[in-house]
Amino acid sequence: MTPEWLMSAYRHGIFPWYTQDQPILWWSPDPRLVLFPGEIRVRRSLAKRLRNGGFTATFDRGFDAVIDACATSRADVEGTWITSNMMDAYRRLHRLGHAHSVEVWQDRRLVGGLYGVALGRMFFGESMFSAERDASKIALVHLARHLEACGGGLIDCQMHTSHLVSLGARDIARDEFLDYLEQYTCQPTAAWKEAASSKITGG
């Protein structure tokens, strides 16, 4: 789980996923769930929450808090697959400028967010959490809009979930995913430093 090993895995379409009691397991599913940033689906109720819910979104302002919240929320439902070893690895990636977070705040309280790894025009989503209704969806919307503004690309959602499909994600064949991977990872990385210096209110 070194930064070099993780980045090499992402470049080849592979990601780690295992529980505390397992050895490190690596995955490359077929099909692969992806979200093209321009295809993010914002239904009327979500659009209203974006405009009037009192939410503020930031980038890379609270990476440690987001990964902690994701680990806590997943532990109750799916087991402790965000292990301490994994959290340490992604914190190292964040310090190196490869892992990033989107935070959603309400009344200065962190209520939702997501984190993952950026490589070129690809964003490999790892996990998200929501302490208020729609907060994780709002984080994903802001991520998609940021990537689209930076020239498009692709969000790797990894495994099929109805939650992500409802937001516009779709399954593609692994070979097609690897073609996109080759195309997008060789492009300049999205402007995360610029995003981290701003706050987004409303939508």
Side-chain angles (χ1 to χ4, degrees):
M1 292 289 283
T2 65
E4 295 79 13
W5 192 271
L6 279 168
M7 294 305 290
S8 178
Y10 282 115
R11 287 189 179 93
H12 292 87
I14 303 168
F15 60 89
W17 191 19
Y18 61 100
T19 64
Q20 189 75 45
D21 298 326
Q22 291 177 314
I24 297 175
L25 302 176
W26 301 90
W27 300 80
S28 180
D30 187 12
R32 190 87 166 219
L33 190 70
V34 301
L35 174 63
F36 294 87
E39 295 181 4
I40 186 75
R41 185 179 299 139
V42 181
R43 301 187 187 277
R44 185 178 300 176
S45 60
L46 181 57
K48 184 177 180 180
R49 294 278 284 168
L50 277 162
R51 290 192 306 270
N52 305 320
F55 297 105
T56 299
T58 58
F59 292 79
D60 285 347
R61 297 285 186 91
F63 184 90
D64 286 349
V66 168
I67 197 171
D68 285 344
C70 288
T72 300
S73 64
R74 292 292 182 265
D76 294 337
V77 179
E78 302 171 21
T80 55
W81 63 268
I82 305 179
T83 65
S84 58
N85 184 31
M86 184 177 285
M87 293 169 71
D88 289 343
Y90 284 93
R91 286 187 172 114
R92 291 198 297 272
L93 283 180
H94 176 62
R95 290 194 294 270
L96 291 169
H98 301 306
H100 301 278
S101 60
V102 183
E103 303 88 25
V104 177
W105 310 86
Q106 190 177 50
D107 298 326
R108 299 185 180 181
R109 182 170 68 96
L110 182 66
V111 295
L114 60 83
Y115 76 94
V117 172
L119 184 59
R121 289 288 184 261
M122 292 284 299
F123 186 87
F124 302 88
E126 278 299 319
S127 188
M128 57 175 56
F129 85 98
S130 186
E132 291 288 342
R133 181 170 61 88
D134 294 331
S136 63
K137 295 179 181 179
I138 290 169
L140 185 62
V141 169
H142 285 299
L143 171 65
R145 289 177 175 175
H146 170 65
L147 293 176
E148 187 175 19
C150 291
L154 190 64
I155 300 171
D156 175 25
C157 302
Q158 298 180 348
M159 308 291 285
H160 185 101
T161 70
S162 57
H163 171 70
L164 291 170
V165 169
S166 72
L167 291 165
R170 53 188 168 97
D171 288 314
I172 62 174
R174 179 166 53 202
D175 286 347
E176 185 180 358
F177 174 77
L178 293 176
D179 287 341
Y180 281 118
L181 189 66
E182 183 177 0
Q183 174 186 347
Y184 288 130
T185 55
C186 65
Q187 297 182 17
T189 301
W192 289 99
K193 287 185 179 180
E194 289 81 352
S197 65
S198 63
K199 290 184 178 181
I200 307 168
T201 303

